């Protein structure tokens, strides 16, 4: 048996599902907090731009955290990094409950994003214990855990939040999020096995070497650019959707909530039952291009929506397109990256996504205010269109690379 196959053979067959279950517990806590953040920030009498900073600070922290934790997990193993990062996030939720002002909240959110930038560690673990052709399906389940957490978390947070009490009225939801993160840490310690052999951890990969390998790879460099472009477009549309729906159809928070409920359900069901099967049957590259195409078409059609049902249907189809596409990005990267740098390169790709979540909403806001209320959708379509070509070219090069590797290995 080869060294590369050894970790996968020694890990439990239930390793990836067990980790995904733990991640769901953690994401449930995340979902409790996210919808409450505008009201939490307003309880400090924060200005609109400060409320925006409370959101963007988390993504800014993730931008720095993703490649750092991914690289460390290549050296020290996935399990210690998962315990330390989720544990740090547990503390950040707790401290956020006692933030004295909005600037302290922004700082804590940045540190929380830095700690929570462990997506590459989770992806690396799944890649370690899963055969290449099945990785897209397992990574899709990771995305489903995220979406289901965001579906049920807000309901729990809304029950226990009391905005009329000021910042103290948000302590119970924050304590719940902290407790769920602590439960995740305990579950990882008790039930999750390390996925990497000690022999694989002896050499320390250079951070600059990982970046050079990512940029120099004709597959990974294209996938990283795709990650940024599509993340830029989708988060821009998502961040301005409420303003657009209010301007077009006079929607309020309840209508927006109903729309995103269907979006979350559509994304989660697709990731759980559709993405993996389609990727195994038709190939990761083809499904990546299909998902990008769906996103582009829905963005073009949304400005022509004639009412609520059509708007909800298009937003749900856009989310389904994203759900079909995104797991295949990580799957293709994990299949083409050097195993010793897998976590670091996945982290760099995730950092590109975090950067997109910072820049995308800002540019979409400018398009909404300065061009047209439909500007974010037009901008999103223009940005996603070339990403389809990137997906096709990256998949073609990945297939060529795998064929060449198979000819070398007897």
């Amino acid at each position: 048996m080869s060294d590369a196959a050894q970790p996968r053979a020694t890990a439990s067959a239930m390793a990836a599902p067990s980790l995904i279950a733990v991640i769901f517990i953690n994401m449930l806590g995340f979902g409790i907090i996210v919808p409450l953040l505008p009201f939490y920030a307003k309880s400090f009498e924060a200005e609109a731009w400060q409320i925006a900073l409370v959101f963007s600070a988390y993504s800014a922290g993730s931008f720095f955290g993703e490649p750092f934790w991914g690289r460390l997990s290549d050296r020290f193993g996935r399990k210690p990094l998962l315990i330390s990062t989720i544990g740090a996030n547990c503390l950040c939720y707790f401290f956020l409950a006692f933030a004295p002002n909005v600037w302290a909240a922004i700082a804590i959110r940045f540190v929380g994003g830095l700690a929570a930038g462990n997506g590459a560690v989770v992806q690396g673990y799944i890649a370690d214990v899963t055969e290449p052709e099945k990785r897209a399906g397992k990574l899709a389940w990771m995305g489903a855990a995220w979406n289901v957490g965001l579906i049920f978390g807000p309901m729990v947070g809304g029950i226990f939040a009391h905005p009329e009490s000021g910042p103290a009225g948000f302590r119970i939801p924050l304590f719940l999020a902290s407790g769920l993160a602590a439960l995740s840490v305990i579950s990882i310690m008790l039930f999750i096995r390390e996925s990497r052999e000690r022999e694989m951890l002896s050499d320390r990969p250079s951070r600059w070497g990982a970046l050079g390998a990512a940029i120099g790879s004709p597959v990974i460099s294209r996938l990283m650019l795709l990650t940024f472009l599509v993340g830029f477009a989708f988060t821009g549309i998502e961040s301005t959707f409420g303003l657009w729906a209010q301007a077009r159809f006079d929607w309020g928070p309840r209508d927006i909530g109903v729309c995103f409920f269907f979006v979350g359900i559509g994304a989660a069901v697709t990731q759980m039952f559709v993405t993996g099967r389609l990727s195994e049957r038709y190939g990761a590259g083809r499904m990546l291009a299909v998902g990008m195409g769906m996103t582009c078409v829905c963005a073009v059609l949304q400005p022509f929506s004639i009412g609520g049902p059509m708007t909800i249907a298009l937003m749900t189809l856009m989310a389904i397109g994203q759900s079909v596409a995104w797991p295949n990005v990580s799957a293709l990267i994990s299949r083409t990256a050097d195993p010793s740098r897998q976590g670091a390169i996945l982290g760099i790709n995730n950092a590109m996504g975090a950067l997109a979540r910072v820049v995308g909403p800002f540019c979409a806001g400018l398009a909404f205010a300065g061009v047209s209320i439909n500007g974010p959708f037009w901008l999103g379509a223009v940005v996603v269109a070339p990403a389809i070509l990137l997906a096709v070219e990256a998949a073609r090069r990945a297939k060529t690379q795998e064929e060449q590797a198979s000819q070398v290995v007897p």
Side-chain angles (χ1 to χ4, degrees):
M1 181 181 296
S2 67
D3 292 340
Q6 221 169 10
R8 205 170 295 123
T10 56
S12 166
M14 292 299 293
S18 299
L19 179 60
I20 290 168
V22 172
I23 295 304
F24 164 72
I25 296 172
N26 190 46
M27 288 312 306
L28 183 62
F30 180 83
I32 288 174
I33 298 306
V34 170
L36 299 178
L37 284 174
F39 308 101
Y40 171 78
K42 285 181 69 176
S43 71
F44 292 108
E45 299 182 356
E47 300 289 340
W49 62 273
Q50 291 174 316
I51 295 174
L53 275 180
V54 171
F55 276 92
S56 60
Y58 192 88
S59 294
S62 297
F63 173 75
F64 293 102
E66 284 285 1
F68 180 72
W69 302 128
R71 185 173 67 89
L72 286 188
S73 75
D74 288 334
R75 183 185 181 197
F76 297 110
R78 316 296 188 200
K79 183 173 179 176
L81 268 297
L82 287 171
I83 291 172
S84 59
T85 54
I86 296 177
N89 217 28
C90 166
L91 294 176
C92 286
Y93 286 135
F94 183 81
F95 290 137
L96 198 61
F98 299 99
N101 53 58
V102 70
W103 290 111
I106 290 169
I108 293 170
R109 285 282 293 169
F110 178 84
V111 175
L114 185 68
N118 58 8
V121 184
V122 179
Q123 292 167 346
Y125 187 101
I126 293 173
D128 290 340
V129 301
T130 308
E131 296 297 330
E133 64 275 8
K134 296 184 180 297
R135 286 178 190 170
K138 290 293 192 297
L139 290 166
W141 273 86
M142 174 186 163
W146 174 286
N147 280 293
V148 175
L150 289 179
I151 290 169
F152 293 103
M155 179 175 60
V156 176
I159 291 172
F160 291 100
H162 299 284
E164 68 279 1
S165 301
F170 297 91
R171 285 180 180 168
I172 293 179
L174 287 165
F175 289 156
L176 286 172
S178 181
L180 288 167
L183 179 60
S184 298
V185 170
I186 294 170
S187 299
I188 291 171
M189 294 173 66
L190 295 178
F191 304 114
I192 303 300
R193 298 175 56 185
E194 177 54 58
S195 64
R196 292 173 70 82
E197 297 289 338
R198 288 291 176 185
E199 294 77 20
M200 297 178 66
L201 307 176
S202 56
D203 297 327
R204 181 177 182 177
S206 163
R207 71 184 71 180
W208 301 114
L211 180 60
I215 295 174
S217 167
V219 177
I220 296 173
S221 60
R222 284 170 170 79
L223 291 172
M224 286 171 51
L225 179 57
L226 183 151
T227 294
F228 177 79
L229 292 176
V230 180
F232 174 95
F234 190 71
T235 57
I237 290 172
E238 191 176 41
S239 66
T240 56
F241 176 75
L243 298 174
W244 176 85
Q246 184 181 51
R248 279 290 305 272
F249 305 117
D250 196 29
W251 279 12
R254 180 183 176 277
D255 303 296
I256 303 297
V258 169
C259 179
F260 278 99
F261 174 81
F262 283 104
V263 166
I265 291 292
V269 170
T270 301
Q271 289 164 329
M272 286 189 289
F273 303 111
V274 178
T275 301
R277 294 177 183 178
L278 290 179
S279 297
E280 288 182 35
R281 182 170 182 178
Y282 298 108
R286 185 176 298 177
M287 296 317 302
L288 178 56
V290 168
M292 296 299 95
M294 289 178 64
T295 301
C296 187
V297 170
C298 290
V300 169
L301 292 178
Q302 191 64 271
F304 302 100
S305 173
I306 58 175
M310 182 176 177
T311 295
I312 292 173
L314 287 172
M315 287 298 290
T316 303
L317 285 172
M318 187 184 298
I320 289 173
Q322 295 283 297
S323 301
V324 167
W326 278 121
N328 290 294
V329 174
S330 300
L332 284 171
I333 290 176
S334 71
R335 287 162 61 173
T336 54
D338 182 344
S340 67
R341 289 175 170 158
Q342 196 170 75
I345 292 177
L346 284 167
I348 294 170
N349 182 68
N350 289 348
M352 294 296 289
L355 180 62
R357 290 192 296 273
V358 175
V359 179
F362 176 76
C363 293
L366 292 179
F368 182 89
V371 179
S372 162
I373 63 169
N374 296 320
F377 293 105
W378 302 129
L379 178 63
V382 168
V383 169
V384 172
I388 300 172
L389 300 178
L390 285 172
V392 173
E393 182 63 14
R396 185 184 67 81
R397 289 178 178 268
K399 183 177 180 181
T400 301
Q401 183 174 321
E402 289 178 344
E403 289 174 350
Q404 291 173 345
S406 66
Q407 292 173 1
V408 173
V409 179

